[in-house]
Amino acid sequence: DIQLTQSPSSLSVSVGDRVTITCQASQAISNYLNWYQQKPGKAPKLLIYDVSSLETGVPSRFSGSGSGTDFTFTISSLQPEDIATYYCQQNENLPPWTFGQGTKVEIK
Amino acid sequence: EVQLVESGGGLVQPGRSLRLSCAASGFTFDDSALHWVRQAPGKGLEWVSGISWNSGSVVYADSVKGRFTISRDNAKNSLYLQMNSLRTEDTALYYCAKDKTIAAAGYFDYWGQGTLVTVSS
């Protein structure tokens, strides 16, 4: 199975700050890397798929990049409503499709 | 508006069975693959099972293979998860999730609010 390791596990930032989360895969996964946002008590929401494609309706301050085994998720200017846990997920080839352990973003 | 509403969760003893349901609306049901994804209390997300639009392809995580069965009824716009031989480690919030594709490709673009399954004696 492909393992995904996110870092950091949590971060505390100020409104307006740039937020960067990394996701490292245990083997190359082409472009099959997605990012989800989960607010407390809510279901996850797909933000970015195939490394860098923004899901419809998602604000442009969210972006993704990377290739091979190393991927990055960025919030260009953190807003109060972005407080959540963020997960990367791979859907390379056959299942199981796995998630990273999550990164909790909090307001400083 | 896409809606996925799970039901059927509850408290069950180890070794017993439970059947989860997911009622879908707001999209063309038989144009989409569907999945179950679970989240243990305070933990991360774990994909459990997926099914293609016509039930021709079904896949499972190793942790549930042989115990859980996914199915769908396109006439009723419904997804199901039959869970047998439940273990304490199956305790989780179970989400129904829609795939962006018809073929169960692993893109979870809409999620329900989840139904809680607690396995305990």
Side-chain angles (χ1 to χ4, degrees):
Chain A
D1 298 357
I2 298 174
Q3 310 301 320
L4 297 178
T5 303
Q6 285 182 236
S7 62
S9 297
S10 65
L11 67 161
S12 183
V13 296
S14 300
V15 173
D17 282 356
R18 183 180 186 88
V19 172
T20 300
I21 298 169
T22 64
C23 178
Q24 185 170 57
S26 58
Q27 65 188 71
I29 56 174
S30 302
N31 289 336
Y32 298 106
L33 195 285
N34 312 309
W35 291 93
Y36 297 82
Q37 175 193 65
Q38 186 177 32
K39 295 183 178 181
K42 300 296 185 183
K45 175 186 177 182
L46 177 63
L47 298 180
I48 291 171
Y49 62 97
D50 291 346
V51 176
S52 59
S53 295
L54 208 60
E55 183 70 351
T56 303
V58 174
S60 59
R61 64 180 180 273
F62 296 99
S63 65
S65 64
S67 64
T69 60
D70 297 300
F71 301 89
T72 300
F73 172 81
T74 300
I75 307 173
S76 60
S77 178
L78 186 80
Q79 300 303 301
E81 61 267 30
D82 300 336
I83 298 311
T85 299
Y86 294 86
Y87 294 91
C88 59
Q89 175 247 334
Q90 64 81 21
N91 58 327
E92 165 79 9
N93 205 3
L94 297 174
W97 298 304
T98 50
F99 293 85
Q101 81 277 17
T103 296
K104 187 174 184 180
V105 176
E106 299 174 311
I107 295 285
K108 189 181 294 182
Chain B
E1 179 193 4
V2 172
Q3 284 199 320
L4 299 165
V5 180
E6 302 92 338
S7 61
L11 174 63
V12 62
Q13 293 178 327
R16 303 298 291 265
S17 300
L18 209 57
R19 189 193 196 209
L20 306 184
S21 299
C22 172
S25 61
F27 65 100
T28 304
F29 188 77
D30 50 11
D31 274 354
S32 295
L34 296 162
H35 302 268
W36 290 99
V37 179
R38 68 186 181 184
Q39 186 168 36
K43 302 297 185 182
L45 300 165
E46 179 189 16
W47 172 81
V48 172
S49 181
I51 186 167
S52 64
W53 68 281
N54 63 352
S55 305
S57 174
V58 296
V59 285
Y60 299 95
D62 285 347
S63 57
V64 306
K65 199 173 294 182
R67 301 187 298 122
F68 290 12
T69 302
I70 191 171
S71 63
R72 63 189 291 164
D73 185 336
N74 287 354
K76 295 183 178 179
N77 283 11
S78 293
L79 174 72
Y80 307 101
L81 186 67
Q82 178 67 43
M83 305 186 294
N84 298 333
S85 303
L86 282 161
R87 305 168 180 168
T88 55
E89 55 264 35
D90 296 319
T91 294
L93 186 64
Y94 284 73
Y95 291 105
C96 167
K98 175 186 165 298
D99 200 298
K100 287 176 75 68
T101 76
I102 64 171
Y107 296 97
F108 315 120
D109 64 347
Y110 288 94
W111 300 59
Q113 287 306 302
T115 186
L116 182 63
V117 173
T118 303
V119 184
S120 174
S121 54

Short mmCIF file of all heavy atoms in Angstrom, two decimals, chain B residues 60-97:
data_model
loop_
_atom_site.label_atom_id
_atom_site.label_comp_id
_atom_site.label_asym_id
_atom_site.label_seq_id
_atom_site.Cartn_x
_atom_site.Cartn_y
_atom_site.Cartn_z
N TYR B 60 -12.31 -3.35 -1.98
CA TYR B 60 -12.34 -3.26 -0.52
C TYR B 60 -10.95 -3.02 0.04
O TYR B 60 -9.94 -3.46 -0.52
CB TYR B 60 -12.86 -4.57 0.09
CG TYR B 60 -14.27 -4.93 -0.31
CD1 TYR B 60 -14.50 -5.80 -1.38
CD2 TYR B 60 -15.37 -4.40 0.36
CE1 TYR B 60 -15.79 -6.14 -1.76
CE2 TYR B 60 -16.66 -4.73 -0.01
CZ TYR B 60 -16.87 -5.60 -1.08
OH TYR B 60 -18.15 -5.92 -1.45
N ALA B 61 -10.90 -2.35 1.18
CA ALA B 61 -9.67 -2.29 1.94
C ALA B 61 -9.41 -3.67 2.56
O ALA B 61 -10.36 -4.40 2.87
CB ALA B 61 -9.78 -1.24 3.04
N ASP B 62 -8.15 -4.00 2.74
CA ASP B 62 -7.81 -5.31 3.32
C ASP B 62 -8.42 -5.49 4.70
O ASP B 62 -8.77 -6.61 5.09
CB ASP B 62 -6.29 -5.45 3.42
CG ASP B 62 -5.64 -5.71 2.07
OD1 ASP B 62 -6.38 -6.03 1.11
OD2 ASP B 62 -4.41 -5.58 1.97
N SER B 63 -8.59 -4.39 5.42
CA SER B 63 -9.08 -4.46 6.80
C SER B 63 -10.53 -4.93 6.89
O SER B 63 -10.97 -5.36 7.96
CB SER B 63 -8.94 -3.10 7.48
OG SER B 63 -9.63 -2.10 6.75
N VAL B 64 -11.27 -4.87 5.78
CA VAL B 64 -12.68 -5.26 5.81
C VAL B 64 -13.01 -6.36 4.80
O VAL B 64 -14.14 -6.87 4.79
CB VAL B 64 -13.61 -4.06 5.56
CG1 VAL B 64 -13.30 -2.92 6.54
CG2 VAL B 64 -13.54 -3.57 4.11
N LYS B 65 -12.03 -6.72 3.98
CA LYS B 65 -12.28 -7.72 2.93
C LYS B 65 -12.73 -9.04 3.56
O LYS B 65 -12.16 -9.51 4.54
CB LYS B 65 -11.00 -7.92 2.12
CG LYS B 65 -11.21 -8.55 0.77
CD LYS B 65 -9.90 -8.54 -0.03
CE LYS B 65 -9.46 -7.16 -0.38
NZ LYS B 65 -8.21 -7.14 -1.18
N GLY B 66 -13.80 -9.61 2.99
CA GLY B 66 -14.35 -10.86 3.52
C GLY B 66 -15.37 -10.67 4.62
O GLY B 66 -16.08 -11.62 4.98
N ARG B 67 -15.46 -9.47 5.17
CA ARG B 67 -16.44 -9.19 6.23
C ARG B 67 -17.51 -8.20 5.78
O ARG B 67 -18.65 -8.28 6.22
CB ARG B 67 -15.74 -8.64 7.47
CG ARG B 67 -14.69 -9.55 8.06
CD ARG B 67 -14.17 -9.00 9.39
NE ARG B 67 -13.52 -7.70 9.25
CZ ARG B 67 -13.91 -6.60 9.91
NH1 ARG B 67 -14.92 -6.64 10.74
NH2 ARG B 67 -13.25 -5.46 9.74
N PHE B 68 -17.12 -7.23 4.97
CA PHE B 68 -18.04 -6.18 4.50
C PHE B 68 -18.40 -6.43 3.04
O PHE B 68 -17.57 -6.90 2.25
CB PHE B 68 -17.39 -4.82 4.61
CG PHE B 68 -17.20 -4.30 6.02
CD1 PHE B 68 -17.37 -5.12 7.14
CD2 PHE B 68 -16.85 -2.98 6.24
CE1 PHE B 68 -17.19 -4.65 8.42
CE2 PHE B 68 -16.68 -2.47 7.51
CZ PHE B 68 -16.84 -3.32 8.61
N THR B 69 -19.64 -6.07 2.68
CA THR B 69 -20.09 -6.16 1.29
C THR B 69 -20.76 -4.86 0.88
O THR B 69 -21.72 -4.43 1.54
CB THR B 69 -21.07 -7.32 1.09
OG1 THR B 69 -20.45 -8.55 1.50
CG2 THR B 69 -21.50 -7.43 -0.37
N ILE B 70 -20.26 -4.25 -0.17
CA ILE B 70 -20.86 -3.03 -0.70
C ILE B 70 -21.82 -3.40 -1.83
O ILE B 70 -21.58 -4.35 -2.59
CB ILE B 70 -19.77 -2.06 -1.20
CG1 ILE B 70 -20.35 -0.67 -1.49
CG2 ILE B 70 -19.03 -2.62 -2.41
CD1 ILE B 70 -19.30 0.39 -1.79
N SER B 71 -22.91 -2.65 -1.93
CA SER B 71 -23.86 -2.87 -3.02
C SER B 71 -24.61 -1.58 -3.28
O SER B 71 -24.55 -0.63 -2.48
CB SER B 71 -24.83 -4.01 -2.69
OG SER B 71 -25.62 -3.67 -1.55
N ARG B 72 -25.31 -1.52 -4.40
CA ARG B 72 -26.09 -0.35 -4.74
C ARG B 72 -27.35 -0.77 -5.47
O ARG B 72 -27.40 -1.83 -6.11
CB ARG B 72 -25.27 0.62 -5.59
CG ARG B 72 -24.84 0.07 -6.95
CD ARG B 72 -23.85 1.02 -7.63
NE ARG B 72 -24.48 2.27 -8.02
CZ ARG B 72 -23.80 3.38 -8.35
NH1 ARG B 72 -22.48 3.38 -8.32
NH2 ARG B 72 -24.45 4.47 -8.71
N ASP B 73 -28.36 0.07 -5.39
CA ASP B 73 -29.62 -0.14 -6.11
C ASP B 73 -29.88 1.14 -6.89
O ASP B 73 -30.32 2.15 -6.31
CB ASP B 73 -30.75 -0.44 -5.13
CG ASP B 73 -32.06 -0.80 -5.81
OD1 ASP B 73 -32.25 -0.39 -6.98
OD2 ASP B 73 -32.89 -1.46 -5.19
N ASN B 74 -29.57 1.11 -8.18
CA ASN B 74 -29.72 2.33 -8.99
C ASN B 74 -31.18 2.75 -9.13
O ASN B 74 -31.47 3.93 -9.35
CB ASN B 74 -29.07 2.13 -10.35
CG ASN B 74 -27.54 2.14 -10.27
OD1 ASN B 74 -26.97 2.41 -9.21
ND2 ASN B 74 -26.90 1.82 -11.38
N ALA B 75 -32.10 1.81 -9.02
CA ALA B 75 -33.52 2.15 -9.11
C ALA B 75 -33.98 2.93 -7.88
O ALA B 75 -34.94 3.71 -7.95
CB ALA B 75 -34.36 0.89 -9.26
N LYS B 76 -33.29 2.73 -6.76
CA LYS B 76 -33.66 3.41 -5.52
C LYS B 76 -32.67 4.51 -5.14
O LYS B 76 -32.79 5.09 -4.06
CB LYS B 76 -33.74 2.39 -4.38
CG LYS B 76 -34.85 1.36 -4.56
CD LYS B 76 -34.90 0.43 -3.36
CE LYS B 76 -36.06 -0.57 -3.51
NZ LYS B 76 -36.14 -1.51 -2.37
N ASN B 77 -31.69 4.78 -6.00
CA ASN B 77 -30.68 5.79 -5.70
C ASN B 77 -30.05 5.56 -4.32
O ASN B 77 -29.89 6.50 -3.53
CB ASN B 77 -31.26 7.21 -5.77
CG ASN B 77 -31.44 7.71 -7.19
OD1 ASN B 77 -31.34 6.93 -8.15
ND2 ASN B 77 -31.74 8.97 -7.35
N SER B 78 -29.70 4.33 -4.06
CA SER B 78 -29.21 3.98 -2.74
C SER B 78 -27.95 3.13 -2.79
O SER B 78 -27.77 2.31 -3.68
CB SER B 78 -30.28 3.22 -1.94
OG SER B 78 -31.37 4.06 -1.65
N LEU B 79 -27.09 3.36 -1.79
CA LEU B 79 -25.85 2.62 -1.59
C LEU B 79 -25.95 1.92 -0.25
O LEU B 79 -26.55 2.44 0.69
CB LEU B 79 -24.66 3.58 -1.60
CG LEU B 79 -23.29 3.01 -1.26
CD1 LEU B 79 -22.79 2.15 -2.42
CD2 LEU B 79 -22.31 4.14 -0.96
N TYR B 80 -25.34 0.74 -0.16
CA TYR B 80 -25.40 -0.03 1.07
C TYR B 80 -24.02 -0.56 1.47
O TYR B 80 -23.12 -0.70 0.63
CB TYR B 80 -26.35 -1.23 0.90
CG TYR B 80 -27.71 -0.86 0.39
CD1 TYR B 80 -28.06 -1.02 -0.95
CD2 TYR B 80 -28.67 -0.31 1.24
CE1 TYR B 80 -29.30 -0.66 -1.43
CE2 TYR B 80 -29.92 0.06 0.79
CZ TYR B 80 -30.24 -0.11 -0.56
OH TYR B 80 -31.47 0.25 -1.02
N LEU B 81 -23.89 -0.84 2.76
CA LEU B 81 -22.70 -1.53 3.25
C LEU B 81 -23.15 -2.55 4.28
O LEU B 81 -23.61 -2.18 5.37
CB LEU B 81 -21.69 -0.56 3.86
CG LEU B 81 -20.36 -1.19 4.26
CD1 LEU B 81 -19.59 -1.66 3.03
CD2 LEU B 81 -19.50 -0.23 5.08
N GLN B 82 -23.07 -3.82 3.93
CA GLN B 82 -23.36 -4.90 4.87
C GLN B 82 -22.09 -5.22 5.63
O GLN B 82 -21.08 -5.58 5.01
CB GLN B 82 -23.87 -6.14 4.12
CG GLN B 82 -24.16 -7.33 5.02
CD GLN B 82 -25.32 -7.10 5.96
OE1 GLN B 82 -26.35 -6.56 5.56
NE2 GLN B 82 -25.16 -7.50 7.22
N MET B 83 -22.15 -5.07 6.94
CA MET B 83 -20.97 -5.27 7.78
C MET B 83 -21.21 -6.47 8.69
O MET B 83 -22.11 -6.43 9.54
CB MET B 83 -20.69 -4.02 8.61
CG MET B 83 -20.54 -2.77 7.76
SD MET B 83 -20.04 -1.33 8.73
CE MET B 83 -21.47 -1.12 9.77
N ASN B 84 -20.43 -7.53 8.48
CA ASN B 84 -20.54 -8.73 9.29
C ASN B 84 -19.29 -8.90 10.16
O ASN B 84 -18.27 -8.26 9.91
CB ASN B 84 -20.70 -9.96 8.40
CG ASN B 84 -21.98 -9.91 7.56
OD1 ASN B 84 -22.97 -9.29 7.95
ND2 ASN B 84 -21.94 -10.56 6.41
N SER B 85 -19.40 -9.76 11.15
CA SER B 85 -18.25 -10.07 12.03
C SER B 85 -17.57 -8.79 12.51
O SER B 85 -16.35 -8.64 12.41
CB SER B 85 -17.25 -10.96 11.29
OG SER B 85 -17.86 -12.14 10.83
N LEU B 86 -18.36 -7.87 13.02
CA LEU B 86 -17.81 -6.57 13.41
C LEU B 86 -16.83 -6.69 14.56
O LEU B 86 -16.98 -7.54 15.46
CB LEU B 86 -18.95 -5.62 13.77
CG LEU B 86 -19.66 -5.03 12.54
CD1 LEU B 86 -21.03 -4.48 12.91
CD2 LEU B 86 -18.80 -3.94 11.91
N ARG B 87 -15.83 -5.85 14.52
CA ARG B 87 -14.77 -5.81 15.53
C ARG B 87 -14.76 -4.45 16.21
O ARG B 87 -15.24 -3.45 15.64
CB ARG B 87 -13.42 -6.06 14.86
CG ARG B 87 -13.33 -7.34 14.05
CD ARG B 87 -12.08 -7.36 13.20
NE ARG B 87 -11.97 -8.58 12.40
CZ ARG B 87 -11.10 -8.75 11.43
NH1 ARG B 87 -10.24 -7.76 11.12
NH2 ARG B 87 -11.06 -9.88 10.76
N THR B 88 -14.16 -4.36 17.36
CA THR B 88 -14.10 -3.07 18.06
C THR B 88 -13.38 -2.03 17.21
O THR B 88 -13.72 -0.84 17.26
CB THR B 88 -13.40 -3.22 19.41
OG1 THR B 88 -12.11 -3.81 19.22
CG2 THR B 88 -14.22 -4.12 20.36
N GLU B 89 -12.40 -2.46 16.43
CA GLU B 89 -11.65 -1.52 15.59
C GLU B 89 -12.46 -1.00 14.39
O GLU B 89 -11.97 -0.14 13.66
CB GLU B 89 -10.33 -2.13 15.11
CG GLU B 89 -10.46 -3.44 14.38
CD GLU B 89 -10.24 -4.66 15.26
OE1 GLU B 89 -10.64 -4.61 16.45
OE2 GLU B 89 -9.69 -5.65 14.76
N ASP B 90 -13.67 -1.51 14.19
CA ASP B 90 -14.55 -0.98 13.15
C ASP B 90 -15.34 0.23 13.65
O ASP B 90 -16.08 0.86 12.87
CB ASP B 90 -15.53 -2.05 12.66
CG ASP B 90 -14.84 -3.21 11.97
OD1 ASP B 90 -13.90 -2.95 11.18
OD2 ASP B 90 -15.24 -4.36 12.20
N THR B 91 -15.22 0.55 14.93
CA THR B 91 -15.91 1.71 15.48
C THR B 91 -15.45 2.97 14.77
O THR B 91 -14.25 3.29 14.73
CB THR B 91 -15.62 1.84 16.99
OG1 THR B 91 -16.22 0.73 17.67
CG2 THR B 91 -16.18 3.14 17.55
N ALA B 92 -16.39 3.69 14.18
CA ALA B 92 -16.05 4.87 13.38
C ALA B 92 -17.31 5.56 12.90
O ALA B 92 -18.42 5.00 12.95
CB ALA B 92 -15.19 4.48 12.18
N LEU B 93 -17.12 6.77 12.39
CA LEU B 93 -18.15 7.47 11.63
C LEU B 93 -17.99 7.03 10.18
O LEU B 93 -16.89 7.15 9.62
CB LEU B 93 -17.96 8.97 11.78
CG LEU B 93 -19.02 9.89 11.18
CD1 LEU B 93 -20.37 9.69 11.87
CD2 LEU B 93 -18.59 11.35 11.30
N TYR B 94 -19.04 6.49 9.60
CA TYR B 94 -18.98 5.97 8.24
C TYR B 94 -19.62 6.98 7.29
O TYR B 94 -20.81 7.31 7.43
CB TYR B 94 -19.68 4.62 8.14
CG TYR B 94 -18.85 3.50 8.71
CD1 TYR B 94 -18.68 3.35 10.08
CD2 TYR B 94 -18.21 2.59 7.87
CE1 TYR B 94 -17.90 2.34 10.61
CE2 TYR B 94 -17.43 1.57 8.39
CZ TYR B 94 -17.27 1.46 9.75
OH TYR B 94 -16.49 0.45 10.27
N TYR B 95 -18.80 7.44 6.34
CA TYR B 95 -19.27 8.39 5.34
C TYR B 95 -19.54 7.67 4.01
O TYR B 95 -18.75 6.84 3.57
CB TYR B 95 -18.21 9.44 5.05
CG TYR B 95 -17.92 10.41 6.16
CD1 TYR B 95 -16.75 10.30 6.93
CD2 TYR B 95 -18.78 11.48 6.42
CE1 TYR B 95 -16.46 11.22 7.93
CE2 TYR B 95 -18.49 12.40 7.41
CZ TYR B 95 -17.33 12.26 8.17
OH TYR B 95 -17.05 13.18 9.15
N CYS B 96 -20.62 8.08 3.37
CA CYS B 96 -20.88 7.74 1.98
C CYS B 96 -20.28 8.86 1.14
O CYS B 96 -20.43 10.05 1.48
CB CYS B 96 -22.40 7.66 1.80
SG CYS B 96 -23.03 7.62 0.13
N ALA B 97 -19.56 8.50 0.09
CA ALA B 97 -18.91 9.53 -0.73
C ALA B 97 -19.11 9.21 -2.21
O ALA B 97 -18.99 8.05 -2.63
CB ALA B 97 -17.42 9.61 -0.41
#
